[in-house]
Amino acid sequence: MKIFLSWSGLPSRTCAERLASWLRYFSDEIEPFVSSESIRKGARGLDEIKRQLDESSFGIACVTRANLGAPWITFESGALSKEVDERKGQVVPFLLEGSHDDLEAASSPLRQFQSTRAHDEEDVLNMVRTINSVLRESAKRHPDNTRVDSLFHKVWPELRDSLASIDLTADAPEQAPPRRSTEEILEDLTSLMREQISRITDLEQIVEALREEQNSLPRKRSRFTGVYEDPPRALPVTTGSMGTEGPE
């Protein structure tokens, strides 16, 4: 059974790698795939990822607040949801921090799936049970979580401590914008509004001053005014030597 672990950003990648290693405790039939570890040297990365997406029966997206809207994790999760539906599998957003409400607030495509909080023992146990059910069903075996439950409680502390050591601030600043309170946002908006009002007031004063200056200037007669209204001037006439009139 292939499990595709999707990640974006350093903390998410570390989570995917540690989770992949830990899931192997539960069955030799589990084959986790993490692109940072599982792509063979010399293989074409995108082709290998596409093949693994096509063959996976279960998907886990390792989510942090920094990668909620990451295009890559959204793409992989969308592809996974299509493939695992055909195999009666599932996609699970594995939340390294926050809750499902964060997926809703960010309008993440992952919000349609039932999430698992990485540091909640009961949540993680339910995820492992689901993986076991998909595995047994695909092998046409009766569902049985007895062994899984017993093993889980022995190996859970290892995963719990490993995930707790992940530095969630390791993503670049542009990937993880600081979360701000509503009061801070409102203060910034108020400041921006005041600045815009001040600029508009200054602009209005400049326009009014220009109008007053224009009104105070003496009006200049256009060079074309009255061209066709003034009577034509008479030309001086002299008498020529031949006794004819003509211009001087």
Side-chain angles (χ1 to χ4, degrees):
M1 172 186 175
K2 290 191 175 182
I3 300 178
F4 191 102
L5 290 103
S6 179
W7 59 272
S8 178
L10 182 57
S12 174
R13 169 182 167 173
T14 304
C15 172
E17 292 171 350
R18 294 178 183 179
L19 189 57
S21 176
W22 183 79
L23 285 172
R24 290 190 177 93
Y25 283 133
F26 297 96
S27 174
D28 292 337
E29 297 174 68
I30 291 178
E31 299 178 47
F33 175 85
V34 183
S35 60
S36 59
E37 289 187 338
S38 306
I39 294 180
R40 304 181 305 276
K41 297 297 183 183
R44 295 178 63 184
L46 290 177
D47 291 345
E48 181 71 9
I49 288 173
K50 176 66 167 59
R51 185 176 71 83
Q52 293 294 334
L53 284 168
D54 291 343
E55 297 175 357
S56 294
S57 303
F58 203 92
I60 300 174
C62 298
V63 180
T64 65
R65 287 196 175 103
N67 71 10
L68 274 175
W72 190 248
I73 205 168
T74 299
F75 162 75
E76 289 182 339
S77 299
L80 275 169
S81 65
K82 177 179 179 297
E83 296 300 332
V84 301
D85 277 350
E86 296 175 1
R87 298 178 176 82
K88 298 182 179 180
Q90 290 189 18
V91 176
V92 176
F94 193 72
L95 309 178
L96 263 175
E97 54 182 336
S99 67
H100 196 86
D101 290 341
D102 293 309
L103 299 178
E104 295 284 355
S107 297
S108 169
L110 292 169
R111 69 186 186 279
Q112 64 183 302
F113 308 114
Q114 187 169 352
S115 59
T116 293
R117 290 170 295 176
H119 303 290
D120 187 313
E121 181 176 355
E122 193 65 27
D123 257 6
V124 178
L125 173 58
N126 286 333
M127 183 185 76
V128 173
R129 285 173 175 168
T130 302
I131 292 172
N132 184 57
S133 297
V134 173
L135 174 60
R136 295 183 70 85
E137 185 175 344
S138 64
K140 298 184 179 348
R141 295 196 293 265
H142 292 296
D144 183 3
N145 288 322
T146 305
R147 177 181 174 277
V148 164
D149 287 0
S150 175
L151 181 57
F152 176 86
H153 294 295
K154 293 178 181 178
V155 299
W156 163 246
E158 177 185 329
L159 180 67
R160 178 195 63 204
D161 296 344
S162 178
L163 296 180
S165 67
I166 295 175
D167 180 9
L168 295 174
T169 66
D171 278 332
E174 61 272 14
Q175 290 180 297
R179 295 175 64 83
R180 307 174 66 210
S181 67
T182 303
E183 291 77 10
E184 289 176 322
I185 294 172
L186 287 175
E187 284 179 8
D188 280 356
L189 287 174
T190 302
S191 176
L192 286 171
M193 285 294 293
R194 286 173 178 164
E195 183 178 347
Q196 292 300 318
I197 290 171
S198 176
R199 288 181 176 180
I200 292 171
T201 302
D202 290 344
L203 183 59
E204 288 176 342
Q205 290 175 351
I206 292 171
V207 170
E208 186 60 30
L210 288 173
R211 283 177 178 168
E212 292 178 358
E213 181 180 349
Q214 186 69 22
N215 290 335
S216 64
L217 291 174
R219 291 185 177 273
K220 293 183 179 180
R221 190 175 181 181
S222 170
R223 57 182 295 192
F224 298 107
T225 302
V227 166
Y228 300 105
E229 298 175 2
D230 295 342
R233 293 176 56 192
L235 295 173
V237 179
T238 59
T239 302
S241 60
M242 299 293 296
T244 59
E245 295 182 352
E248 290 182 346

